[in-house]
């Protein structure tokens, strides 16, 4: 399966368990891997046979900068659901949602979750 990757997308959102996170917000980085057959797009040089990177970015931005969630897992799940629904040619989607400098005791560079979801094939 071919892959499209969008890496280190940066957003500002209000997700987290702590009230300060919901009030003050913080940075989030997102990496996306889209698994799709790109043979037709490559052969025809036709964007309609692929996935528009700008559209992916906009959809992810709307979610990460949108309604606050408590858990990174919930945000990542919402992103995978949105992308799998939006693109009929998309077979599998992996989202890595990174919270740099999390407000937890200790010395952490970041925390992250990685979720992979696939379309269910019938028959």
């Amino acid at each position: 399966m071919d892959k499209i990757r969008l890496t280190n997308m940066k957003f500002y959102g209000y997700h987290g368990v702590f009230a300060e996170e919901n009030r003050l917000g913080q940075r989030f980085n997102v990496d996306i891997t889209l698994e799709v057959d790109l043979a037709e797009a490559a052969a025809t040089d036709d964007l309609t046979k692929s996935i528009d990177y700008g559209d992916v970015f906009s959809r992810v931005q709307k979610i990460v900068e949108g309604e606050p969630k408590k858990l990174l897992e919930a945000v990542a799940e919402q992103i995978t659901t949105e992308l799998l629904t939006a693109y009929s040619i998309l077979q599998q989607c992996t989202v890595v949602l990174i919270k740099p400098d999390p407000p937890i005791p200790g010395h952490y560079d970041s925390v992250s979750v990685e979720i992979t979801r696939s379309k269910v094939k019938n028959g």
Side-chain angles (χ1 to χ4, degrees), residues 40-81:
E40 189 174 3
T44 63
D45 197 27
D46 183 352
L47 178 58
T48 66
K49 305 300 181 189
S50 186
I51 295 176
D52 182 332
Y53 316 146
D55 187 61
V56 172
F57 181 90
S58 295
R59 290 174 186 275
V60 174
Q61 180 179 32
K62 185 175 181 180
I63 292 167
V64 178
E65 294 181 354
E67 178 186 343
K69 305 270 188 217
K70 290 181 182 168
L71 300 180
L72 295 178
E73 294 86 337
V75 180
E77 184 73 25
Q78 186 177 357
I79 293 169
T80 59
T81 299

